[in-house]
Amino acid sequence: MHIEQLRDYCISKKGVTEHFPFDDVTLVFKVMNKMFLLTGLTSWEKSEAKVNLKCNPEKAEELREEYEGISAGFHMNKKHWNTVLLNSSDVSDDLAKELIDHSYDLVVSGLTKKIKEELTSL
């Protein structure tokens, strides 16, 4: 997966916007102003494509045990976030997309009823 593919996949989801809230190298994707994916552009330039994704705590633990390319979220709440090495030997593009979808869905499920209605109407 290339950075452009990651961006296109994320931005195609309903209610998603992209931001650089921390600095000019940390790209953040939000759904209805809530983060679901972060990535450092510097790591992509070094061919170390990795993203931080929100994850159900139980699933997060299982994924870390099963995949070498998935670890506790770097600089994030390790209970709720994973760092996923894209293009690694055991993390396929399909798995990466599945994890992005899971992160997006988790964030959407935590939105208020009013904001969920706004999202539905987009």
Side-chain angles (χ1 to χ4, degrees), residues 78-95:
K78 310 232 180 296
K79 181 177 180 181
H80 296 280
W81 289 84
N82 279 336
T83 296
V84 180
L85 296 174
L86 303 177
N87 309 324
S88 71
S89 61
D90 67 345
V91 178
S92 67
D93 285 359
D94 287 340
L95 175 59

Side-chain angles (χ1 to χ4, degrees), residues 26-112:
T26 305
L27 176 59
V28 175
F29 289 96
K30 297 180 178 184
V31 55
M32 302 307 285
N33 213 30
K34 299 285 184 183
M35 287 191 303
F36 72 95
L37 185 148
L38 296 91
T39 189
L41 298 181
T42 307
S43 67
W44 287 82
E45 291 170 358
K46 295 177 185 176
S47 297
E48 298 170 4
K50 55 187 170 186
V51 296
N52 282 353
L53 296 166
K54 194 159 185 138
C55 191
N56 170 286
E58 294 80 31
K59 183 174 181 167
E61 288 293 328
E62 291 171 12
L63 290 166
R64 292 173 200 163
E65 291 173 12
E66 186 175 346
Y67 296 95
E68 190 175 306
I70 300 176
S71 58
F74 183 69
H75 284 304
M76 303 298 285
N77 180 323
K78 310 232 180 296
K79 181 177 180 181
H80 296 280
W81 289 84
N82 279 336
T83 296
V84 180
L85 296 174
L86 303 177
N87 309 324
S88 71
S89 61
D90 67 345
V91 178
S92 67
D93 285 359
D94 287 340
L95 175 59
K97 288 177 182 178
E98 179 184 315
L99 296 174
I100 292 167
D101 292 345
H102 176 69
S103 181
Y104 175 90
D105 292 342
L106 263 181
V107 172
V108 168
S109 72
L111 296 173
T112 65

